[in-house]
Amino acid sequence: MARFIYRFELVDRSGEIPIRPGAEIVHVGVKQGRPCLWIEQDVEAIGARTLRWAILGTGQEIPRGYEHLGTFLLNDGEFVWHVFRLPSE
């Protein structure tokens, strides 16, 4: 088993990230002004899954089935955003 942590930039308000079975989100944050997810995964794991995510602002309705992954701040805390995992189809 060879586990590594990889960073994925969240470039839109929603999207998909290919991940390995057993992958774990370890951090939601900002690097160089861009929101990111840090995901630990076993690069030798067989198979692939898709992590579907969305970003919502404070005060926005959270759709049923969304799982909160973390929160990040932009512009010195002026904007607070929340990253969610979307339900599997």
Side-chain angles (χ1 to χ4, degrees), residues 22-87:
E24 298 178 31
I25 288 90
V26 296
H27 184 65
V28 174
V30 177
K31 182 173 181 182
Q32 298 176 333
R34 296 190 175 132
C36 299
L37 280 178
W38 281 263
I39 299 175
E40 180 181 339
Q41 55 187 329
D42 178 355
V43 297
E44 297 172 353
I46 304 293
R49 295 184 357 210
T50 300
L51 169 66
R52 296 174 52 231
W53 57 269
I55 297 173
L56 300 176
T58 297
Q60 287 187 278
E61 181 179 353
I62 303 167
R64 183 175 303 281
Y66 277 34
E67 175 190 350
H68 185 257
L69 298 176
T71 297
F72 65 92
L73 309 174
L74 292 176
N75 292 357
D76 293 324
E78 182 179 355
F79 300 105
V80 180
W81 300 97
H82 311 279
V83 181
F84 292 85
R85 177 193 316 256
L86 279 61

Side-chain angles (χ1 to χ4, degrees), residues 6-12 14-17 29-38 53 55:
Y6 293 100
R7 178 178 53 87
F8 298 88
E9 284 190 16
L10 307 179
V11 295
D12 290 313
S14 64
E16 298 180 346
I17 297 172
V30 177
K31 182 173 181 182
Q32 298 176 333
R34 296 190 175 132
C36 299
L37 280 178
W38 281 263
W53 57 269
I55 297 173

